[in-house]
Amino acid sequence: MSQINTLAEINRVRQEVGAIKEKALKSELGQFFTNTNVASFMANLFDSNEPHIKLLDPGAGIGILTAAYIERLCKKKRKPISIEVVAVEIDESILPYLTDTLEFCSNLCQKAGITFSSQIVNRDFLEFGVESIGNPGTANFNVVIMNPPYKKISTDSISRNLLRQIGVETTNLYTGFVAVAKRLMVNFGQLVAITPRSFCNGTYYIKFRSDFLSDMSFKKIHLFESRKEAFSEDDVLQENIIYLAEKNKKYRKVSITSSVSSMIPSVSYKLDTDRLVHPDDGELFIRLAKDQAEVELKTALEGVSSSLEQLNIKVSTGRVVDFRTKENLKFEVTEDSIPLIYPLHFLDGFVRWPVVTAKKANGIVLNKETEKLLLPRGNYVLVRRFSSKEEPKRINSAIYDGTDFKATFVGFENHVNYFHINNMGIPIELAKGLSLYLSSTVVDRYFRQFNGLTQVNVSDLKSLPYPTHDELLEMGKQFGEIFPNQTQVDLIILQVLGIQAN
């Protein structure tokens, strides 16, 4: 290997190593290397001026994050006296590259008059971290910079059991890495991470959010307008965020920035901490508005005062998992067919059934085995469980009008969420009003603030503010027989709720 003299050369090595690594191996490790632009942006988020830096880089890769941070420190007028680096990396094959990067860091510090030392730990970070917690010699980092691996962990895995030893319950390696790293930090230590945004909402991550927010405060958060921006070379489609958090609970303001196609922020504003995580929100959703207009929208919608519980309406996920009941599916429609509704049956705001396709059934047999999966004929509001950020709307709804179907039962497939009243239908005007509200632009923009997943979960739909019963009825009365276009939907919603258009 040649001597590395610049961060650009480290980036070139990153690209070469990334090309050599097979995608299957990267997927197995959940490993995606950080590019130079992102690394430099992350390094510049830190705002502490500690004289002695002890830096932890979990899942260090070839060390580009550490190098970007140290390069930044060496350029500062007020330089630290000493820097100690602990780089933890499980993949033995890239350790020579990491060694070379740390040599680059050592040379930079020598020229800048900074005492430098480093240690490479060739271990699983979770094993290293759990062992180190409570050890005064290792659990005293004041800087953590990380791009943790993204990979689900099963309930009986070694990783899950390690995390349970320190009281952490989570379903993905990246949140596990963050939970362990913060336990290795001193008070007022700072952590900068790039991770998927998925931890910000949903029931899967509520324990992680509770744990993280118990002693960490967000200071800066950066959002990406495009899901592909951060890791375009690796075809990573998770929606990522970058954040700076400090180990204390005193901060009242969070700086929010976002970028469109580069790491140069195009939008910047400050948000009160209690607007980021509502103090009375038991789910602890982290609500990320991309600009001040979104914040004002969120404030306006908080005047929408009802909940599903107050409306006596429930939302559930479709009970029919088709591959588990293949023998009861019917592709051809007959007089006795019980409709089985998939997202493909959504059309122009209503359920259009049947739809002839070779891949999906249109019906399900009614028998003792399937009866528990079905619901009585009635009016239901349906929502697709999956949608992406790039779609025009995240919440895609349709009305199942019971009067359009002869069958006395209906089945909703597992990719469909359905609104109901005690597992029975909803009065049609109420259903129309609810579907209009869910289809509005203001709800879509509000929903995007806390949901960065492709999933629209039941917990997400429960967390929305809803109009009162009378307001929903008023919306439904203005519906007509055809689902209104988007302009008409938004006009009805804004007029009934008294929200100023933005």
PDB file of all heavy atoms in Angstrom, residues 277-299:
ATOM      1  N   VAL A 277     -39.773  16.151  20.363  1.00  0.00           N
ATOM      2  CA  VAL A 277     -40.403  15.032  21.060  1.00  0.00           C
ATOM      3  C   VAL A 277     -41.425  15.620  22.019  1.00  0.00           C
ATOM      4  O   VAL A 277     -41.055  16.277  22.991  1.00  0.00           O
ATOM      5  CB  VAL A 277     -39.372  14.184  21.831  1.00  0.00           C
ATOM      6  CG1 VAL A 277     -40.067  13.007  22.504  1.00  0.00           C
ATOM      7  CG2 VAL A 277     -38.261  13.695  20.908  1.00  0.00           C
ATOM      8  N   HIS A 278     -42.694  15.415  21.746  1.00  0.00           N
ATOM      9  CA  HIS A 278     -43.734  16.000  22.582  1.00  0.00           C
ATOM     10  C   HIS A 278     -43.676  15.417  23.995  1.00  0.00           C
ATOM     11  O   HIS A 278     -43.647  14.181  24.160  1.00  0.00           O
ATOM     12  CB  HIS A 278     -45.105  15.750  21.973  1.00  0.00           C
ATOM     13  CG  HIS A 278     -45.306  16.447  20.664  1.00  0.00           C
ATOM     14  ND1 HIS A 278     -46.499  16.437  19.986  1.00  0.00           N
ATOM     15  CD2 HIS A 278     -44.451  17.191  19.900  1.00  0.00           C
ATOM     16  CE1 HIS A 278     -46.372  17.124  18.864  1.00  0.00           C
ATOM     17  NE2 HIS A 278     -45.158  17.589  18.792  1.00  0.00           N
ATOM     18  N   PRO A 279     -43.676  16.241  25.021  1.00  0.00           N
ATOM     19  CA  PRO A 279     -43.555  15.751  26.404  1.00  0.00           C
ATOM     20  C   PRO A 279     -44.663  14.771  26.802  1.00  0.00           C
ATOM     21  O   PRO A 279     -44.446  13.900  27.641  1.00  0.00           O
ATOM     22  CB  PRO A 279     -43.639  17.040  27.239  1.00  0.00           C
ATOM     23  CG  PRO A 279     -43.231  18.137  26.298  1.00  0.00           C
ATOM     24  CD  PRO A 279     -43.713  17.720  24.948  1.00  0.00           C
ATOM     25  N   ASP A 280     -45.858  14.907  26.197  1.00  0.00           N
ATOM     26  CA  ASP A 280     -46.976  14.042  26.568  1.00  0.00           C
ATOM     27  C   ASP A 280     -47.146  12.857  25.608  1.00  0.00           C
ATOM     28  O   ASP A 280     -48.162  12.160  25.646  1.00  0.00           O
ATOM     29  CB  ASP A 280     -48.278  14.840  26.634  1.00  0.00           C
ATOM     30  CG  ASP A 280     -48.596  15.548  25.313  1.00  0.00           C
ATOM     31  OD1 ASP A 280     -47.727  15.555  24.420  1.00  0.00           O
ATOM     32  OD2 ASP A 280     -49.708  16.094  25.182  1.00  0.00           O
ATOM     33  N   ASP A 281     -46.171  12.638  24.733  1.00  0.00           N
ATOM     34  CA  ASP A 281     -46.251  11.546  23.769  1.00  0.00           C
ATOM     35  C   ASP A 281     -45.634  10.288  24.371  1.00  0.00           C
ATOM     36  O   ASP A 281     -44.415  10.170  24.485  1.00  0.00           O
ATOM     37  CB  ASP A 281     -45.517  11.934  22.476  1.00  0.00           C
ATOM     38  CG  ASP A 281     -45.558  10.833  21.415  1.00  0.00           C
ATOM     39  OD1 ASP A 281     -46.260   9.829  21.636  1.00  0.00           O
ATOM     40  OD2 ASP A 281     -44.889  10.994  20.379  1.00  0.00           O
ATOM     41  N   GLY A 282     -46.472   9.338  24.752  1.00  0.00           N
ATOM     42  CA  GLY A 282     -45.986   8.100  25.337  1.00  0.00           C
ATOM     43  C   GLY A 282     -45.147   7.266  24.380  1.00  0.00           C
ATOM     44  O   GLY A 282     -44.332   6.450  24.806  1.00  0.00           O
ATOM     45  N   GLU A 283     -45.345   7.467  23.069  1.00  0.00           N
ATOM     46  CA  GLU A 283     -44.579   6.720  22.060  1.00  0.00           C
ATOM     47  C   GLU A 283     -43.203   7.345  21.814  1.00  0.00           C
ATOM     48  O   GLU A 283     -42.342   6.747  21.181  1.00  0.00           O
ATOM     49  CB  GLU A 283     -45.351   6.675  20.738  1.00  0.00           C
ATOM     50  CG  GLU A 283     -46.695   5.981  20.814  1.00  0.00           C
ATOM     51  CD  GLU A 283     -46.569   4.472  20.829  1.00  0.00           C
ATOM     52  OE1 GLU A 283     -45.566   3.963  20.303  1.00  0.00           O
ATOM     53  OE2 GLU A 283     -47.462   3.810  21.366  1.00  0.00           O
ATOM     54  N   LEU A 284     -43.005   8.587  22.293  1.00  0.00           N
ATOM     55  CA  LEU A 284     -41.729   9.304  22.135  1.00  0.00           C
ATOM     56  C   LEU A 284     -41.302   9.421  20.674  1.00  0.00           C
ATOM     57  O   LEU A 284     -40.127   9.292  20.332  1.00  0.00           O
ATOM     58  CB  LEU A 284     -40.625   8.614  22.946  1.00  0.00           C
ATOM     59  CG  LEU A 284     -40.814   8.604  24.468  1.00  0.00           C
ATOM     60  CD1 LEU A 284     -39.740   7.752  25.127  1.00  0.00           C
ATOM     61  CD2 LEU A 284     -40.787  10.019  25.028  1.00  0.00           C
ATOM     62  N   PHE A 285     -42.259   9.686  19.778  1.00  0.00           N
ATOM     63  CA  PHE A 285     -41.929   9.870  18.376  1.00  0.00           C
ATOM     64  C   PHE A 285     -41.033  11.100  18.218  1.00  0.00           C
ATOM     65  O   PHE A 285     -41.255  12.130  18.860  1.00  0.00           O
ATOM     66  CB  PHE A 285     -43.188  10.077  17.538  1.00  0.00           C
ATOM     67  CG  PHE A 285     -43.916   8.804  17.189  1.00  0.00           C
ATOM     68  CD1 PHE A 285     -43.607   7.605  17.805  1.00  0.00           C
ATOM     69  CD2 PHE A 285     -44.916   8.804  16.227  1.00  0.00           C
ATOM     70  CE1 PHE A 285     -44.269   6.434  17.481  1.00  0.00           C
ATOM     71  CE2 PHE A 285     -45.587   7.645  15.894  1.00  0.00           C
ATOM     72  CZ  PHE A 285     -45.271   6.455  16.517  1.00  0.00           C
ATOM     73  N   ILE A 286     -40.022  10.987  17.373  1.00  0.00           N
ATOM     74  CA  ILE A 286     -39.140  12.109  17.051  1.00  0.00           C
ATOM     75  C   ILE A 286     -39.651  12.713  15.754  1.00  0.00           C
ATOM     76  O   ILE A 286     -39.578  12.095  14.696  1.00  0.00           O
ATOM     77  CB  ILE A 286     -37.681  11.629  16.924  1.00  0.00           C
ATOM     78  CG1 ILE A 286     -37.220  11.038  18.263  1.00  0.00           C
ATOM     79  CG2 ILE A 286     -36.767  12.781  16.504  1.00  0.00           C
ATOM     80  CD1 ILE A 286     -35.933  10.238  18.173  1.00  0.00           C
ATOM     81  N   ARG A 287     -40.214  13.912  15.842  1.00  0.00           N
ATOM     82  CA  ARG A 287     -40.951  14.518  14.726  1.00  0.00           C
ATOM     83  C   ARG A 287     -40.060  15.523  14.014  1.00  0.00           C
ATOM     84  O   ARG A 287     -39.765  16.597  14.541  1.00  0.00           O
ATOM     85  CB  ARG A 287     -42.232  15.167  15.258  1.00  0.00           C
ATOM     86  CG  ARG A 287     -43.124  14.147  15.957  1.00  0.00           C
ATOM     87  CD  ARG A 287     -44.237  14.788  16.764  1.00  0.00           C
ATOM     88  NE  ARG A 287     -44.916  13.795  17.587  1.00  0.00           N
ATOM     89  CZ  ARG A 287     -46.000  13.114  17.212  1.00  0.00           C
ATOM     90  NH1 ARG A 287     -46.531  13.326  16.023  1.00  0.00           N
ATOM     91  NH2 ARG A 287     -46.553  12.216  18.015  1.00  0.00           N
ATOM     92  N   LEU A 288     -39.658  15.160  12.807  1.00  0.00           N
ATOM     93  CA  LEU A 288     -38.663  15.926  12.072  1.00  0.00           C
ATOM     94  C   LEU A 288     -39.309  16.704  10.933  1.00  0.00           C
ATOM     95  O   LEU A 288     -39.604  16.140   9.872  1.00  0.00           O
ATOM     96  CB  LEU A 288     -37.581  14.993  11.530  1.00  0.00           C
ATOM     97  CG  LEU A 288     -36.777  14.250  12.593  1.00  0.00           C
ATOM     98  CD1 LEU A 288     -35.947  13.150  11.961  1.00  0.00           C
ATOM     99  CD2 LEU A 288     -35.885  15.214  13.352  1.00  0.00           C
ATOM    100  N   ALA A 289     -39.521  17.970  11.149  1.00  0.00           N
ATOM    101  CA  ALA A 289     -40.020  18.853  10.093  1.00  0.00           C
ATOM    102  C   ALA A 289     -38.843  19.362   9.285  1.00  0.00           C
ATOM    103  O   ALA A 289     -37.804  19.721   9.840  1.00  0.00           O
ATOM    104  CB  ALA A 289     -40.782  20.027  10.700  1.00  0.00           C
ATOM    105  N   LYS A 290     -38.998  19.399   7.949  1.00  0.00           N
ATOM    106  CA  LYS A 290     -37.847  19.760   7.114  1.00  0.00           C
ATOM    107  C   LYS A 290     -37.593  21.263   7.059  1.00  0.00           C
ATOM    108  O   LYS A 290     -36.508  21.695   6.704  1.00  0.00           O
ATOM    109  CB  LYS A 290     -38.020  19.218   5.693  1.00  0.00           C
ATOM    110  CG  LYS A 290     -39.130  19.873   4.889  1.00  0.00           C
ATOM    111  CD  LYS A 290     -39.201  19.282   3.492  1.00  0.00           C
ATOM    112  CE  LYS A 290     -40.287  19.960   2.677  1.00  0.00           C
ATOM    113  NZ  LYS A 290     -40.404  19.385   1.312  1.00  0.00           N
ATOM    114  N   ASP A 291     -38.611  22.090   7.406  1.00  0.00           N
ATOM    115  CA  ASP A 291     -38.411  23.537   7.394  1.00  0.00           C
ATOM    116  C   ASP A 291     -39.417  24.197   8.329  1.00  0.00           C
ATOM    117  O   ASP A 291     -40.259  23.537   8.941  1.00  0.00           O
ATOM    118  CB  ASP A 291     -38.520  24.107   5.969  1.00  0.00           C
ATOM    119  CG  ASP A 291     -39.829  23.732   5.276  1.00  0.00           C
ATOM    120  OD1 ASP A 291     -40.858  23.608   5.973  1.00  0.00           O
ATOM    121  OD2 ASP A 291     -39.824  23.555   4.048  1.00  0.00           O
ATOM    122  N   GLN A 292     -39.342  25.517   8.419  1.00  0.00           N
ATOM    123  CA  GLN A 292     -40.192  26.255   9.351  1.00  0.00           C
ATOM    124  C   GLN A 292     -41.670  26.141   8.974  1.00  0.00           C
ATOM    125  O   GLN A 292     -42.541  26.116   9.846  1.00  0.00           O
ATOM    126  CB  GLN A 292     -39.768  27.727   9.386  1.00  0.00           C
ATOM    127  CG  GLN A 292     -40.343  28.503  10.564  1.00  0.00           C
ATOM    128  CD  GLN A 292     -39.933  27.940  11.921  1.00  0.00           C
ATOM    129  OE1 GLN A 292     -38.775  27.596  12.132  1.00  0.00           O
ATOM    130  NE2 GLN A 292     -40.883  27.810  12.839  1.00  0.00           N
ATOM    131  N   ALA A 293     -41.941  26.066   7.671  1.00  0.00           N
ATOM    132  CA  ALA A 293     -43.331  25.918   7.226  1.00  0.00           C
ATOM    133  C   ALA A 293     -43.929  24.614   7.746  1.00  0.00           C
ATOM    134  O   ALA A 293     -45.105  24.570   8.137  1.00  0.00           O
ATOM    135  CB  ALA A 293     -43.403  25.962   5.700  1.00  0.00           C
ATOM    136  N   GLU A 294     -43.117  23.555   7.771  1.00  0.00           N
ATOM    137  CA  GLU A 294     -43.588  22.275   8.300  1.00  0.00           C
ATOM    138  C   GLU A 294     -43.847  22.371   9.808  1.00  0.00           C
ATOM    139  O   GLU A 294     -44.769  21.753  10.324  1.00  0.00           O
ATOM    140  CB  GLU A 294     -42.552  21.179   8.019  1.00  0.00           C
ATOM    141  CG  GLU A 294     -42.270  20.930   6.545  1.00  0.00           C
ATOM    142  CD  GLU A 294     -43.377  20.160   5.868  1.00  0.00           C
ATOM    143  OE1 GLU A 294     -44.167  19.509   6.569  1.00  0.00           O
ATOM    144  OE2 GLU A 294     -43.466  20.226   4.633  1.00  0.00           O
ATOM    145  N   VAL A 295     -43.030  23.143  10.495  1.00  0.00           N
ATOM    146  CA  VAL A 295     -43.235  23.340  11.933  1.00  0.00           C
ATOM    147  C   VAL A 295     -44.570  24.049  12.175  1.00  0.00           C
ATOM    148  O   VAL A 295     -45.339  23.681  13.064  1.00  0.00           O
ATOM    149  CB  VAL A 295     -42.078  24.166  12.541  1.00  0.00           C
ATOM    150  CG1 VAL A 295     -42.360  24.470  14.014  1.00  0.00           C
ATOM    151  CG2 VAL A 295     -40.765  23.411  12.416  1.00  0.00           C
ATOM    152  N   GLU A 296     -44.837  25.074  11.378  1.00  0.00           N
ATOM    153  CA  GLU A 296     -46.101  25.810  11.514  1.00  0.00           C
ATOM    154  C   GLU A 296     -47.289  24.913  11.208  1.00  0.00           C
ATOM    155  O   GLU A 296     -48.343  25.002  11.847  1.00  0.00           O
ATOM    156  CB  GLU A 296     -46.075  27.028  10.592  1.00  0.00           C
ATOM    157  CG  GLU A 296     -45.060  28.082  11.027  1.00  0.00           C
ATOM    158  CD  GLU A 296     -44.837  29.166   9.978  1.00  0.00           C
ATOM    159  OE1 GLU A 296     -45.536  29.123   8.946  1.00  0.00           O
ATOM    160  OE2 GLU A 296     -43.969  30.023  10.196  1.00  0.00           O
ATOM    161  N   LEU A 297     -47.132  24.033  10.206  1.00  0.00           N
ATOM    162  CA  LEU A 297     -48.193  23.083   9.884  1.00  0.00           C
ATOM    163  C   LEU A 297     -48.455  22.165  11.067  1.00  0.00           C
ATOM    164  O   LEU A 297     -49.602  21.908  11.441  1.00  0.00           O
ATOM    165  CB  LEU A 297     -47.791  22.253   8.665  1.00  0.00           C
ATOM    166  CG  LEU A 297     -48.634  21.000   8.407  1.00  0.00           C
ATOM    167  CD1 LEU A 297     -50.035  21.379   7.979  1.00  0.00           C
ATOM    168  CD2 LEU A 297     -47.981  20.109   7.364  1.00  0.00           C
ATOM    169  N   LYS A 298     -47.365  21.666  11.668  1.00  0.00           N
ATOM    170  CA  LYS A 298     -47.509  20.775  12.823  1.00  0.00           C
ATOM    171  C   LYS A 298     -48.247  21.480  13.953  1.00  0.00           C
ATOM    172  O   LYS A 298     -49.116  20.905  14.604  1.00  0.00           O
ATOM    173  CB  LYS A 298     -46.125  20.304  13.275  1.00  0.00           C
ATOM    174  CG  LYS A 298     -46.163  19.315  14.419  1.00  0.00           C
ATOM    175  CD  LYS A 298     -44.844  18.580  14.578  1.00  0.00           C
ATOM    176  CE  LYS A 298     -43.737  19.471  15.040  1.00  0.00           C
ATOM    177  NZ  LYS A 298     -42.506  18.707  15.335  1.00  0.00           N
ATOM    178  N   THR A 299     -47.908  22.744  14.172  1.00  0.00           N
ATOM    179  CA  THR A 299     -48.571  23.525  15.216  1.00  0.00           C
ATOM    180  C   THR A 299     -50.054  23.680  14.909  1.00  0.00           C
ATOM    181  O   THR A 299     -50.903  23.551  15.800  1.00  0.00           O
ATOM    182  CB  THR A 299     -47.909  24.909  15.343  1.00  0.00           C
ATOM    183  OG1 THR A 299     -46.518  24.727  15.630  1.00  0.00           O
ATOM    184  CG2 THR A 299     -48.559  25.716  16.451  1.00  0.00           C
TER     185      THR A 299
END
